[in-house]
Amino acid sequence: MTRSISILGATGSVGEQTLDLIRRNRADWNVVALTANCSAEQLAKLAREFDAEIAVVGDEACLAELREGLAASNVESAGGEQALCEAASRPVDITVAAIVGCAGLAPTMAAIEQGGTVALANKEALVSAGEVMMAAVAHHGATLLPVDSEHNAIFQCLQGGRLSQVRTITLTASGGPLRTVRNLEAVTPAQAIAHPNWDMGAKISVDSATMFNKGLELIEAHHLFPLPLDRIGIVVHPQSVIHSMVEYQDGSTLAQLGPPDMRVPIASCLAWPERMETPCKPLDLAALGQLTFESPDEDRFPATRLARAAAEKGGASPAILNAANEVAVASFLSGQLAFTRIAALVEQALSRMSVAAPQTLEEVLAVDGEARAHASELLEHA
Ligand code: NDP
């Protein structure tokens, strides 16, 4: 049976890998909406190839280029934030939410409001909107499937079990490209995005290097699998073979293993509750030889400590942490902020801002905007 799909962030790393799986099973899928920010030429190419109903660029300035790329095709086109939300509202069997950053929040919420299945890669949206997003999922009867490999692993390990039977959850972390680098002050963007195991977009690659990725994932896990924070742990596992673990009350620990290839968790979401073939290389444990584990070094990489504190505080804190991190990462990538100042700037923003807990999407977006403005001000004095 053909299923319909929309991909928000189709031109990114997760978006492209999703389309790679669809390309291999073309007859099974009807592509409805594909979106990007400004990669208009690439988006037009994909929309033509997959015969999408509509292609949308978030940046309206890129709409003319999109229209040019779609000339003489049947694909509708649109531009702007509102158009992204309208495209995300088109009813589909599954939406892959793969925009990077809080920019993906409103379109993801628009998809959730349709009550269908949303495969969530866009962790910043859940970190920022937390309770507001989970309440919308419950209210609209939507199904949220985690694409993030760690949360997808936990989701798989929970099949057949119940959260009430779980003692702990352990998120694994590769430790990123800088785990063993001594002089973090001098780290360049090129070094920070050179992840040893995963091929990802620039922002999440920097988050991996600072360990903010794991911090965001800790908050994400707390919403998806609501256990007290002291029962959600992090262990560094440089080989990225075990993607996370669930320890049950009887002492059994279930882990999900797989190659470090995002097509595995994406396929698990696309086929859920069934399974589908992927072209991913099988694991060769004998060739790997050993799997190793160590505790995170929070003195050198304070991000997980900051994220845990923000999650414990709750309210607007996770949204502030996320927004300040997005601003700091963009500044680092443009060569303006030193690597070690990313965490320092987030810590400053968290300690100086005091905002009431957001109760609606609009309030979350307002906190995000305020925190960005504050972090940008802090940058000027960095
Ligand atoms: P990329 O940077 O590769 O792609 C981001 C996508 O979002 C692109 O399609 C981009 O369009 C679009 N986009 C960016 N900004 C906006 C905006 N303001 N409005 C609308 N669309 C926008 O990111 P990734 O694919 O690496 O990551 C996507 C999400 O998935 C992130 O939240 C990340 O944390 C999460 N994730 C990623 C993994 C990975 O392996 N890459 C693994 C697990 C989670 P354009 O091309 O025009 O810029």
Side-chain angles (χ1 to χ4, degrees):
M1 201 180 67
T2 311
R3 294 173 69 220
S4 55
I5 186 166
S6 287
I7 303 172
L8 314 176
T11 51
S13 163
V14 171
E16 288 270 22
Q17 292 182 80
T18 306
L19 286 167
D20 177 68
L21 291 171
I22 291 181
R23 191 177 282 119
R24 292 165 195 272
N25 300 276
R26 193 63 196 91
D28 297 344
W29 294 97
N30 170 32
V31 175
V32 175
L34 296 180
T35 81
N37 187 36
C38 196
S39 302
E41 193 184 336
Q42 192 189 351
L43 181 66
K45 208 165 147 233
L46 291 170
R48 280 177 180 275
E49 177 189 349
F50 289 93
D51 196 19
E53 260 178 37
I54 183 165
V56 184
V57 278
D59 185 342
E60 259 185 298
C62 307
L63 181 56
E65 192 186 347
L66 177 64
R67 293 219 159 116
E68 205 178 300
L70 291 172
S73 77
N74 292 325
V75 184
E76 293 169 53
S77 56
E81 287 173 24
Q82 192 50 39
L84 282 177
C85 293
E86 279 163 22
S89 306
R90 296 198 176 191
V92 282
D93 293 313
I94 183 164
T95 302
V96 178
I99 292 175
V100 62
C102 198
L105 174 56
T108 300
M109 289 290 278
I112 288 171
E113 283 162 16
Q114 300 315 303
T117 298
V118 176
L120 183 79
N122 182 199
K123 66 190 88 184
E124 298 92 345
L126 179 55
V127 167
S128 303
E131 289 79 9
V132 172
M133 184 182 285
M134 294 314 289
V137 168
H139 180 74
H140 296 283
T143 302
L144 204 55
L145 298 176
V147 171
D148 226 345
S149 59
E150 295 77 1
H151 307 76
N152 186 269
I154 295 163
F155 183 79
Q156 292 197 43
C157 293
L158 283 170
Q159 301 304 306
R162 282 197 299 277
L163 206 55
S164 61
Q165 301 164 333
V166 170
R167 228 184 246 168
T168 62
I169 280 174
T170 303
L171 297 166
T172 52
S174 69
L178 309 177
R179 186 173 59 94
T180 55
V181 169
R182 285 291 110 203
N183 183 9
L184 292 177
E185 255 326 304
V187 164
T188 63
Q191 275 175 291
I193 60 175
H195 199 282
N197 305 335
W198 299 93
D199 184 9
M200 309 182 286
K203 195 265 177 180
I204 184 176
S205 297
V206 175
D207 285 347
S208 255
T210 57
M211 292 289 281
F212 265 108
N213 185 45
K214 216 46 57 181
L216 297 175
E217 287 178 8
L218 175 77
I219 303 173
E220 183 184 11
H222 185 51
H223 290 297
L224 291 172
F225 316 109
L227 284 181
L229 282 156
D230 62 357
R231 285 162 58 194
I232 307 177
I234 296 171
V235 68
V236 174
H237 164 48
Q239 296 81 19
S240 300
V241 167
I242 295 182
H243 297 301
S244 279
M245 295 170 255
V246 173
E247 180 198 21
Y248 283 94
Q249 62 195 165
D250 61 4
S252 300
T253 295
L254 267 57
Q256 185 260 352
L257 284 70
D261 186 325
M262 278 307 292
R263 290 175 300 181
V264 177
I266 294 170
S268 143
C269 292
L270 293 184
W272 186 82
E274 302 298 329
R275 297 273 178 183
M276 66 188 273
E277 291 275 353
T278 72
C280 303
K281 277 197 201 144
L283 272 185
D284 184 346
L285 291 175
L288 271 164
Q290 56 177 350
L291 301 180
T292 60
F293 306 92
E294 58 195 67
S295 296
D297 181 346
E298 291 190 337
D299 292 331
R300 299 184 69 231
F301 300 100
T304 48
R305 172 176 58 74
L306 294 176
R308 195 176 282 281
E312 274 160 6
K313 196 165 174 205
S317 295
I320 295 170
L321 172 124
N322 178 69
N325 181 52
E326 285 194 34
V327 170
V329 170
S331 177
F332 167 69
L333 282 171
S334 68
Q336 283 163 303
L337 190 71
F339 179 80
T340 45
R341 294 291 304 156
I342 298 175
L345 188 122
V346 173
E347 187 159 24
Q348 270 179 311
L350 278 168
S351 67
R352 292 188 191 180
M353 275 187 74
S354 168
V355 190
Q359 307 292 334
T360 61
L361 171 60
E362 291 66 31
E363 288 178 9
V364 176
L365 293 172
V367 171
D368 177 70
E370 212 178 306
R372 275 166 204 275
H374 188 71
S376 302
E377 256 173 53
L378 290 172
L379 266 181
E380 282 171 24
H381 305 109

Short mmCIF file of all heavy atoms in Angstrom, two decimals, residues 43-107:
data_model
loop_
_atom_site.label_atom_id
_atom_site.label_comp_id
_atom_site.label_asym_id
_atom_site.label_seq_id
_atom_site.Cartn_x
_atom_site.Cartn_y
_atom_site.Cartn_z
N LEU A 43 16.32 21.84 -3.89
CA LEU A 43 14.94 21.49 -3.53
C LEU A 43 14.11 21.25 -4.79
O LEU A 43 13.34 20.29 -4.85
CB LEU A 43 14.32 22.60 -2.67
CG LEU A 43 12.88 22.33 -2.21
CD1 LEU A 43 12.81 21.15 -1.24
CD2 LEU A 43 12.29 23.58 -1.52
N ALA A 44 14.29 22.12 -5.79
CA ALA A 44 13.52 21.97 -7.04
C ALA A 44 13.86 20.62 -7.70
O ALA A 44 12.98 19.91 -8.18
CB ALA A 44 13.85 23.12 -7.98
N LYS A 45 15.13 20.27 -7.66
CA LYS A 45 15.58 19.01 -8.27
C LYS A 45 14.90 17.83 -7.56
O LYS A 45 14.40 16.90 -8.19
CB LYS A 45 17.11 18.94 -8.13
CG LYS A 45 17.78 18.14 -9.18
CD LYS A 45 19.28 18.43 -9.17
CE LYS A 45 19.99 17.16 -9.58
NZ LYS A 45 21.01 16.71 -8.69
N LEU A 46 14.91 17.87 -6.23
CA LEU A 46 14.32 16.77 -5.46
C LEU A 46 12.81 16.72 -5.69
O LEU A 46 12.22 15.65 -5.83
CB LEU A 46 14.62 16.96 -3.96
CG LEU A 46 16.07 16.78 -3.54
CD1 LEU A 46 16.29 17.23 -2.09
CD2 LEU A 46 16.51 15.32 -3.71
N ALA A 47 12.17 17.90 -5.70
CA ALA A 47 10.71 17.94 -5.88
C ALA A 47 10.32 17.36 -7.24
O ALA A 47 9.32 16.64 -7.36
CB ALA A 47 10.22 19.36 -5.73
N ARG A 48 11.13 17.64 -8.24
CA ARG A 48 10.87 17.06 -9.57
C ARG A 48 11.08 15.55 -9.55
O ARG A 48 10.25 14.78 -10.04
CB ARG A 48 11.82 17.66 -10.61
CG ARG A 48 11.43 19.03 -11.12
CD ARG A 48 12.51 19.50 -12.08
NE ARG A 48 12.24 20.81 -12.62
CZ ARG A 48 11.46 21.05 -13.69
NH1 ARG A 48 10.88 20.05 -14.32
NH2 ARG A 48 11.27 22.28 -14.11
N GLU A 49 12.21 15.15 -8.99
CA GLU A 49 12.53 13.71 -8.98
C GLU A 49 11.44 12.91 -8.27
O GLU A 49 11.05 11.84 -8.74
CB GLU A 49 13.88 13.47 -8.28
CG GLU A 49 14.21 11.98 -8.20
CD GLU A 49 15.41 11.65 -7.32
OE1 GLU A 49 16.15 12.57 -6.92
OE2 GLU A 49 15.60 10.44 -7.04
N PHE A 50 10.96 13.45 -7.12
CA PHE A 50 10.00 12.68 -6.32
C PHE A 50 8.55 13.07 -6.62
O PHE A 50 7.65 12.62 -5.94
CB PHE A 50 10.33 12.84 -4.83
CG PHE A 50 11.59 12.10 -4.45
CD1 PHE A 50 12.82 12.75 -4.46
CD2 PHE A 50 11.55 10.75 -4.15
CE1 PHE A 50 13.99 12.06 -4.15
CE2 PHE A 50 12.71 10.05 -3.83
CZ PHE A 50 13.93 10.71 -3.83
N ASP A 51 8.39 13.93 -7.63
CA ASP A 51 7.05 14.31 -8.06
C ASP A 51 6.22 14.81 -6.87
O ASP A 51 5.08 14.38 -6.65
CB ASP A 51 6.38 13.09 -8.73
CG ASP A 51 5.18 13.49 -9.54
OD1 ASP A 51 5.07 14.69 -9.88
OD2 ASP A 51 4.32 12.62 -9.80
N ALA A 52 6.85 15.71 -6.08
CA ALA A 52 6.18 16.22 -4.88
C ALA A 52 4.98 17.08 -5.25
O ALA A 52 4.93 17.65 -6.34
CB ALA A 52 7.18 17.04 -4.06
N GLU A 53 4.01 17.16 -4.33
CA GLU A 53 2.87 18.05 -4.55
C GLU A 53 3.31 19.50 -4.44
O GLU A 53 2.92 20.35 -5.21
CB GLU A 53 1.82 17.83 -3.45
CG GLU A 53 0.67 16.96 -3.84
CD GLU A 53 -0.28 16.76 -2.66
OE1 GLU A 53 -0.49 17.71 -1.87
OE2 GLU A 53 -0.81 15.65 -2.56
N ILE A 54 4.14 19.78 -3.39
CA ILE A 54 4.53 21.17 -3.14
C ILE A 54 5.97 21.23 -2.60
O ILE A 54 6.40 20.35 -1.85
CB ILE A 54 3.55 21.86 -2.15
CG1 ILE A 54 3.93 23.34 -1.94
CG2 ILE A 54 3.45 21.15 -0.81
CD1 ILE A 54 2.83 24.18 -1.30
N ALA A 55 6.68 22.27 -3.01
CA ALA A 55 8.04 22.54 -2.50
C ALA A 55 8.02 23.93 -1.88
O ALA A 55 7.47 24.86 -2.47
CB ALA A 55 9.06 22.48 -3.64
N VAL A 56 8.60 24.05 -0.69
CA VAL A 56 8.56 25.33 0.02
C VAL A 56 9.94 25.72 0.53
O VAL A 56 10.64 24.89 1.12
CB VAL A 56 7.59 25.25 1.24
CG1 VAL A 56 7.48 26.62 1.93
CG2 VAL A 56 6.22 24.75 0.83
N VAL A 57 10.31 26.99 0.31
CA VAL A 57 11.53 27.51 0.93
C VAL A 57 11.12 28.42 2.09
O VAL A 57 10.19 29.23 1.96
CB VAL A 57 12.40 28.31 -0.08
CG1 VAL A 57 13.25 27.38 -0.92
CG2 VAL A 57 11.57 29.24 -0.95
N GLY A 58 11.81 28.28 3.22
CA GLY A 58 11.49 29.11 4.38
C GLY A 58 11.84 30.56 4.14
O GLY A 58 11.16 31.48 4.60
N ASP A 59 12.92 30.78 3.40
CA ASP A 59 13.38 32.13 3.11
C ASP A 59 12.71 32.61 1.81
O ASP A 59 13.02 32.12 0.72
CB ASP A 59 14.92 32.11 2.97
CG ASP A 59 15.49 33.50 2.78
OD1 ASP A 59 14.73 34.43 2.43
OD2 ASP A 59 16.71 33.65 2.97
N GLU A 60 11.81 33.58 1.97
CA GLU A 60 11.04 34.03 0.81
C GLU A 60 11.91 34.58 -0.31
O GLU A 60 11.53 34.52 -1.48
CB GLU A 60 10.03 35.09 1.25
CG GLU A 60 8.65 34.50 1.41
CD GLU A 60 7.59 35.54 1.73
OE1 GLU A 60 7.72 36.18 2.78
OE2 GLU A 60 6.67 35.69 0.91
N ALA A 61 13.09 35.08 0.06
CA ALA A 61 13.99 35.64 -0.95
C ALA A 61 14.45 34.56 -1.94
O ALA A 61 14.96 34.88 -3.02
CB ALA A 61 15.20 36.29 -0.27
N CYS A 62 14.29 33.31 -1.59
CA CYS A 62 14.76 32.21 -2.45
C CYS A 62 13.64 31.61 -3.30
O CYS A 62 13.86 30.63 -4.04
CB CYS A 62 15.42 31.13 -1.59
SG CYS A 62 16.69 31.83 -0.54
N LEU A 63 12.44 32.19 -3.18
CA LEU A 63 11.28 31.62 -3.89
C LEU A 63 11.43 31.76 -5.41
O LEU A 63 11.07 30.84 -6.15
CB LEU A 63 9.99 32.29 -3.39
CG LEU A 63 8.69 31.80 -4.01
CD1 LEU A 63 8.52 30.30 -3.85
CD2 LEU A 63 7.48 32.53 -3.37
N ALA A 64 11.97 32.88 -5.86
CA ALA A 64 12.09 33.07 -7.32
C ALA A 64 12.97 31.97 -7.92
O ALA A 64 12.64 31.39 -8.96
CB ALA A 64 12.68 34.45 -7.61
N GLU A 65 14.06 31.66 -7.23
CA GLU A 65 14.97 30.61 -7.72
C GLU A 65 14.26 29.25 -7.72
O GLU A 65 14.43 28.43 -8.62
CB GLU A 65 16.22 30.58 -6.84
CG GLU A 65 17.33 29.74 -7.44
CD GLU A 65 18.52 29.58 -6.48
OE1 GLU A 65 18.59 30.31 -5.47
OE2 GLU A 65 19.35 28.69 -6.75
N LEU A 66 13.45 29.02 -6.68
CA LEU A 66 12.71 27.75 -6.60
C LEU A 66 11.75 27.66 -7.79
O LEU A 66 11.65 26.63 -8.46
CB LEU A 66 11.95 27.67 -5.27
CG LEU A 66 11.07 26.43 -5.08
CD1 LEU A 66 11.91 25.16 -5.04
CD2 LEU A 66 10.22 26.55 -3.80
N ARG A 67 11.05 28.77 -8.05
CA ARG A 67 10.06 28.78 -9.15
C ARG A 67 10.75 28.53 -10.48
O ARG A 67 10.24 27.80 -11.32
CB ARG A 67 9.33 30.13 -9.17
CG ARG A 67 8.44 30.30 -7.93
CD ARG A 67 7.12 30.97 -8.25
NE ARG A 67 6.15 30.68 -7.21
CZ ARG A 67 5.60 31.58 -6.41
NH1 ARG A 67 5.88 32.86 -6.55
NH2 ARG A 67 4.70 31.21 -5.50
N GLU A 68 11.91 29.12 -10.64
CA GLU A 68 12.68 28.90 -11.88
C GLU A 68 13.02 27.42 -12.04
O GLU A 68 12.85 26.83 -13.10
CB GLU A 68 13.98 29.71 -11.76
CG GLU A 68 14.60 30.11 -13.08
CD GLU A 68 15.85 30.95 -12.79
OE1 GLU A 68 15.72 32.02 -12.15
OE2 GLU A 68 16.94 30.50 -13.18
N GLY A 69 13.46 26.81 -10.93
CA GLY A 69 13.83 25.39 -10.97
C GLY A 69 12.64 24.48 -11.21
O GLY A 69 12.81 23.34 -11.67
N LEU A 70 11.45 24.98 -10.91
CA LEU A 70 10.25 24.13 -11.05
C LEU A 70 9.45 24.47 -12.31
O LEU A 70 8.36 23.91 -12.51
CB LEU A 70 9.35 24.28 -9.82
CG LEU A 70 9.90 23.69 -8.52
CD1 LEU A 70 9.02 24.06 -7.34
CD2 LEU A 70 10.02 22.17 -8.63
N ALA A 71 9.98 25.38 -13.12
CA ALA A 71 9.24 25.82 -14.32
C ALA A 71 8.82 24.61 -15.15
O ALA A 71 9.57 23.65 -15.29
CB ALA A 71 10.12 26.75 -15.14
N ALA A 72 7.60 24.66 -15.64
CA ALA A 72 7.02 23.61 -16.49
C ALA A 72 6.88 22.27 -15.76
O ALA A 72 6.82 21.22 -16.39
CB ALA A 72 7.84 23.45 -17.78
N SER A 73 6.84 22.31 -14.43
CA SER A 73 6.55 21.07 -13.69
C SER A 73 5.18 21.23 -13.04
O SER A 73 4.60 22.32 -13.04
CB SER A 73 7.59 20.82 -12.60
OG SER A 73 7.34 21.66 -11.49
N ASN A 74 4.67 20.14 -12.46
CA ASN A 74 3.37 20.23 -11.78
C ASN A 74 3.50 20.54 -10.30
O ASN A 74 2.52 20.56 -9.57
CB ASN A 74 2.62 18.89 -11.91
CG ASN A 74 2.21 18.65 -13.34
OD1 ASN A 74 1.88 19.60 -14.06
ND2 ASN A 74 2.27 17.40 -13.75
N VAL A 75 4.73 20.77 -9.85
CA VAL A 75 4.95 20.98 -8.41
C VAL A 75 4.56 22.41 -8.02
O VAL A 75 5.01 23.37 -8.63
CB VAL A 75 6.44 20.74 -8.06
CG1 VAL A 75 6.65 20.85 -6.55
CG2 VAL A 75 6.94 19.41 -8.59
N GLU A 76 3.71 22.52 -7.00
CA GLU A 76 3.38 23.86 -6.48
C GLU A 76 4.60 24.40 -5.73
O GLU A 76 5.41 23.61 -5.24
CB GLU A 76 2.25 23.79 -5.45
CG GLU A 76 0.90 23.37 -5.95
CD GLU A 76 -0.01 23.07 -4.74
OE1 GLU A 76 -0.13 23.94 -3.85
OE2 GLU A 76 -0.56 21.97 -4.69
N SER A 77 4.67 25.72 -5.58
CA SER A 77 5.79 26.28 -4.82
C SER A 77 5.29 27.40 -3.93
O SER A 77 4.28 28.04 -4.21
CB SER A 77 6.86 26.81 -5.78
OG SER A 77 6.27 27.75 -6.66
N ALA A 78 6.02 27.61 -2.84
CA ALA A 78 5.67 28.69 -1.92
C ALA A 78 6.90 29.04 -1.10
O ALA A 78 7.89 28.30 -1.09
CB ALA A 78 4.53 28.25 -1.01
N GLY A 79 6.83 30.22 -0.43
CA GLY A 79 7.97 30.65 0.38
C GLY A 79 7.51 31.34 1.64
O GLY A 79 6.40 31.89 1.71
N GLY A 80 8.36 31.30 2.68
CA GLY A 80 8.07 31.99 3.92
C GLY A 80 7.69 31.03 5.04
O GLY A 80 7.35 29.87 4.79
N GLU A 81 7.75 31.56 6.26
CA GLU A 81 7.50 30.71 7.44
C GLU A 81 6.07 30.18 7.48
O GLU A 81 5.83 29.02 7.83
CB GLU A 81 7.79 31.51 8.72
CG GLU A 81 9.27 31.71 8.93
CD GLU A 81 9.58 32.63 10.08
OE1 GLU A 81 8.75 32.78 11.00
OE2 GLU A 81 10.69 33.22 10.06
N GLN A 82 5.12 31.06 7.12
CA GLN A 82 3.72 30.63 7.13
C GLN A 82 3.49 29.52 6.10
O GLN A 82 2.76 28.55 6.36
CB GLN A 82 2.83 31.85 6.83
CG GLN A 82 1.35 31.64 7.08
CD GLN A 82 1.06 31.04 8.45
OE1 GLN A 82 1.71 31.39 9.45
NE2 GLN A 82 0.11 30.10 8.51
N ALA A 83 4.15 29.65 4.95
CA ALA A 83 4.01 28.63 3.89
C ALA A 83 4.58 27.29 4.36
O ALA A 83 4.04 26.22 4.01
CB ALA A 83 4.72 29.10 2.62
N LEU A 84 5.64 27.33 5.15
CA LEU A 84 6.20 26.08 5.69
C LEU A 84 5.15 25.39 6.56
O LEU A 84 4.96 24.17 6.47
CB LEU A 84 7.42 26.38 6.58
CG LEU A 84 8.77 26.70 5.93
CD1 LEU A 84 9.79 27.02 7.02
CD2 LEU A 84 9.26 25.56 5.07
N CYS A 85 4.48 26.19 7.41
CA CYS A 85 3.47 25.61 8.31
C CYS A 85 2.28 25.08 7.51
O CYS A 85 1.75 24.01 7.82
CB CYS A 85 3.01 26.64 9.34
SG CYS A 85 4.32 27.09 10.48
N GLU A 86 1.89 25.82 6.47
CA GLU A 86 0.75 25.34 5.67
C GLU A 86 1.09 24.03 4.97
O GLU A 86 0.29 23.11 4.93
CB GLU A 86 0.35 26.41 4.65
CG GLU A 86 -0.53 27.48 5.30
CD GLU A 86 -0.64 28.75 4.48
OE1 GLU A 86 -0.41 28.69 3.25
OE2 GLU A 86 -0.93 29.80 5.10
N ALA A 87 2.31 23.94 4.45
CA ALA A 87 2.73 22.69 3.79
C ALA A 87 2.77 21.55 4.80
O ALA A 87 2.35 20.42 4.51
CB ALA A 87 4.10 22.88 3.13
N ALA A 88 3.26 21.86 6.01
CA ALA A 88 3.35 20.82 7.05
C ALA A 88 1.97 20.38 7.53
O ALA A 88 1.83 19.31 8.11
CB ALA A 88 4.17 21.34 8.23
N SER A 89 0.95 21.22 7.26
CA SER A 89 -0.42 20.87 7.69
C SER A 89 -1.13 19.96 6.70
O SER A 89 -2.23 19.49 7.00
CB SER A 89 -1.28 22.14 7.81
OG SER A 89 -0.67 23.06 8.62
N ARG A 90 -0.55 19.77 5.52
CA ARG A 90 -1.23 18.88 4.57
C ARG A 90 -1.27 17.47 5.14
O ARG A 90 -0.25 16.97 5.61
CB ARG A 90 -0.51 18.88 3.21
CG ARG A 90 -0.54 20.23 2.57
CD ARG A 90 -0.24 20.18 1.08
NE ARG A 90 -0.38 21.53 0.54
CZ ARG A 90 -0.40 21.84 -0.74
NH1 ARG A 90 -0.25 20.89 -1.65
NH2 ARG A 90 -0.54 23.08 -1.14
N PRO A 91 -2.42 16.82 5.14
CA PRO A 91 -2.51 15.51 5.77
C PRO A 91 -1.62 14.48 5.07
O PRO A 91 -1.64 14.38 3.84
CB PRO A 91 -3.99 15.14 5.63
CG PRO A 91 -4.64 16.20 4.86
CD PRO A 91 -3.68 17.29 4.56
N VAL A 92 -0.84 13.79 5.85
CA VAL A 92 0.04 12.72 5.33
C VAL A 92 0.10 11.59 6.35
O VAL A 92 -0.24 11.78 7.51
CB VAL A 92 1.50 13.21 5.09
CG1 VAL A 92 1.64 14.01 3.81
CG2 VAL A 92 2.04 14.00 6.27
N ASP A 93 0.58 10.43 5.91
CA ASP A 93 0.74 9.32 6.86
C ASP A 93 1.91 9.59 7.80
O ASP A 93 1.85 9.25 8.97
CB ASP A 93 0.98 8.01 6.08
CG ASP A 93 -0.26 7.61 5.30
OD1 ASP A 93 -1.35 7.65 5.89
OD2 ASP A 93 -0.13 7.29 4.10
N ILE A 94 2.99 10.17 7.26
CA ILE A 94 4.15 10.44 8.13
C ILE A 94 4.87 11.71 7.68
O ILE A 94 5.02 11.96 6.48
CB ILE A 94 5.12 9.22 8.16
CG1 ILE A 94 6.28 9.46 9.12
CG2 ILE A 94 5.61 8.82 6.80
CD1 ILE A 94 7.06 8.19 9.51
N THR A 95 5.25 12.51 8.66
CA THR A 95 6.06 13.71 8.40
C THR A 95 7.42 13.49 9.03
O THR A 95 7.50 13.09 10.20
CB THR A 95 5.42 14.95 9.09
OG1 THR A 95 4.10 15.11 8.60
CG2 THR A 95 6.24 16.21 8.82
N VAL A 96 8.48 13.74 8.28
CA VAL A 96 9.82 13.69 8.86
C VAL A 96 10.21 15.13 9.18
O VAL A 96 10.32 15.97 8.28
CB VAL A 96 10.83 13.02 7.90
CG1 VAL A 96 12.23 13.03 8.50
CG2 VAL A 96 10.40 11.58 7.60
N ALA A 97 10.36 15.42 10.48
CA ALA A 97 10.68 16.79 10.92
C ALA A 97 12.19 16.90 11.04
O ALA A 97 12.76 16.50 12.05
CB ALA A 97 9.99 17.08 12.24
N ALA A 98 12.83 17.44 10.00
CA ALA A 98 14.30 17.43 9.95
C ALA A 98 14.87 18.81 9.63
O ALA A 98 15.94 18.92 9.03
CB ALA A 98 14.79 16.40 8.94
N ILE A 99 14.14 19.86 10.02
CA ILE A 99 14.72 21.20 9.95
C ILE A 99 15.68 21.32 11.12
O ILE A 99 15.46 20.72 12.18
CB ILE A 99 13.60 22.27 10.02
CG1 ILE A 99 12.74 22.21 8.74
CG2 ILE A 99 14.17 23.68 10.21
CD1 ILE A 99 11.52 23.14 8.75
N VAL A 100 16.75 22.08 10.96
CA VAL A 100 17.68 22.25 12.07
C VAL A 100 17.30 23.48 12.89
O VAL A 100 16.90 24.51 12.34
CB VAL A 100 19.16 22.34 11.57
CG1 VAL A 100 19.38 23.53 10.66
CG2 VAL A 100 20.13 22.37 12.74
N GLY A 101 17.34 23.33 14.20
CA GLY A 101 17.12 24.47 15.09
C GLY A 101 15.67 24.75 15.41
O GLY A 101 14.75 24.08 14.91
N CYS A 102 15.48 25.77 16.23
CA CYS A 102 14.13 26.13 16.66
C CYS A 102 13.29 26.64 15.48
O CYS A 102 12.07 26.72 15.58
CB CYS A 102 14.22 27.19 17.77
SG CYS A 102 12.71 27.33 18.72
N ALA A 103 13.93 26.94 14.35
CA ALA A 103 13.20 27.33 13.14
C ALA A 103 12.22 26.23 12.73
O ALA A 103 11.24 26.49 12.03
CB ALA A 103 14.18 27.60 12.01
N GLY A 104 12.48 25.01 13.16
CA GLY A 104 11.60 23.89 12.78
C GLY A 104 10.41 23.72 13.71
O GLY A 104 9.54 22.87 13.47
N LEU A 105 10.36 24.51 14.78
CA LEU A 105 9.31 24.27 15.78
C LEU A 105 7.90 24.48 15.24
O LEU A 105 7.05 23.59 15.37
CB LEU A 105 9.56 25.18 17.01
CG LEU A 105 8.47 25.15 18.09
CD1 LEU A 105 8.21 23.74 18.60
CD2 LEU A 105 8.84 26.08 19.25
N ALA A 106 7.64 25.65 14.63
CA ALA A 106 6.26 25.93 14.19
C ALA A 106 5.80 24.92 13.13
O ALA A 106 4.69 24.37 13.25
CB ALA A 106 6.14 27.37 13.71
N PRO A 107 6.61 24.63 12.09
CA PRO A 107 6.17 23.61 11.13
C PRO A 107 5.97 22.23 11.76
O PRO A 107 5.02 21.52 11.42
CB PRO A 107 7.31 23.57 10.09
CG PRO A 107 8.07 24.83 10.26
CD PRO A 107 7.86 25.29 11.67
#
